Amino acid sequence: MGWAPSFHVRLPRRWTEGISRIVAGLELGQDDGVLTTTHECFSVLSNHNLVKNRYGLAVRMITPPSGPEVREEEIVEPFEAAIIPRAKVMSFAAGSLFTGTTIPIRRLCTLAQRHGLSTVVDGVLLPGMLVCNLRTLGVDFLVGSGVK
């Protein structure tokens, strides 16, 4: 397949298992924070909240704009404004679960990298929404599903 040595693919049995393993493996604690959105599905939010309740993780949520007329800058700017010093992770869906708005993955990953954050991307809706080369997106962790 020609994958780069730093590009690894793991195939969990289910999407929820994949996101659970990633969040559990991040080793986040009371001095750390995660930036996510109100547009995430329950499986993503519940995993972050589990770490919050057990270890004191700060979970900061933003509500990015959505809809067919939204520009990339309108999505990226609230993320940038919400980054706090203790943030370690930026977690977001590749496409809005509620509206189908495509999120500018590469731009958010570049923003996260500039601030030293790891990215966790919910790509469960990605295969039906977007043609992309996964290696060029810049994500640290992407969870998808062959079901949708």
Side-chain angles (χ1 to χ4, degrees):
M1 290 173 48
W3 300 110
S6 63
F7 190 85
H8 302 285
V9 175
R10 301 289 182 264
L11 300 173
R13 291 170 289 197
R14 290 174 293 288
W15 172 88
T16 303
E17 176 187 2
I19 201 72
S20 297
R21 286 181 180 218
I22 289 169
V23 173
L26 291 173
E27 298 180 6
L28 298 169
Q30 67 183 18
D31 296 327
D32 302 322
V34 64
L35 174 59
T36 190
T37 80
T38 57
H39 292 200
E40 306 312 311
C41 81
F42 178 75
S43 295
V44 174
L45 296 178
S46 64
N47 278 284
H48 291 313
N49 284 328
L50 180 67
V51 179
K52 174 185 174 182
N53 293 335
R54 284 187 181 166
Y55 307 112
L57 173 73
V59 177
R60 187 149 195 198
M61 297 177 72
I62 64 167
T63 301
S66 60
E69 303 299 321
V70 175
R71 296 182 337 269
E72 286 187 2
E73 294 78 24
E74 294 176 279
I75 295 171
V76 174
E77 288 169 1
F79 273 93
E80 186 158 26
I83 294 173
I84 57 175
R86 69 189 272 192
K88 301 285 188 242
V89 176
M90 183 184 291
S91 177
F92 58 91
S96 171
L97 175 66
F98 304 109
T99 65
T101 301
T102 302
I103 304 300
I105 301 167
R106 181 70 203 147
R107 288 194 59 190
L108 287 179
C109 289
T110 299
L111 172 66
Q113 290 164 0
R114 262 197 338 261
H115 290 275
L117 308 179
S118 295
T119 51
V120 176
V121 179
D122 169 2
V124 74
L125 300 174
L126 196 59
M129 292 180 65
L130 190 62
V131 174
C132 65
N133 179 335
L134 296 178
R135 287 184 276 182
T136 64
L137 292 178
V139 303
D140 294 303
F141 302 96
L142 182 132
V143 181
S145 172
V147 175
K148 300 197 181 202

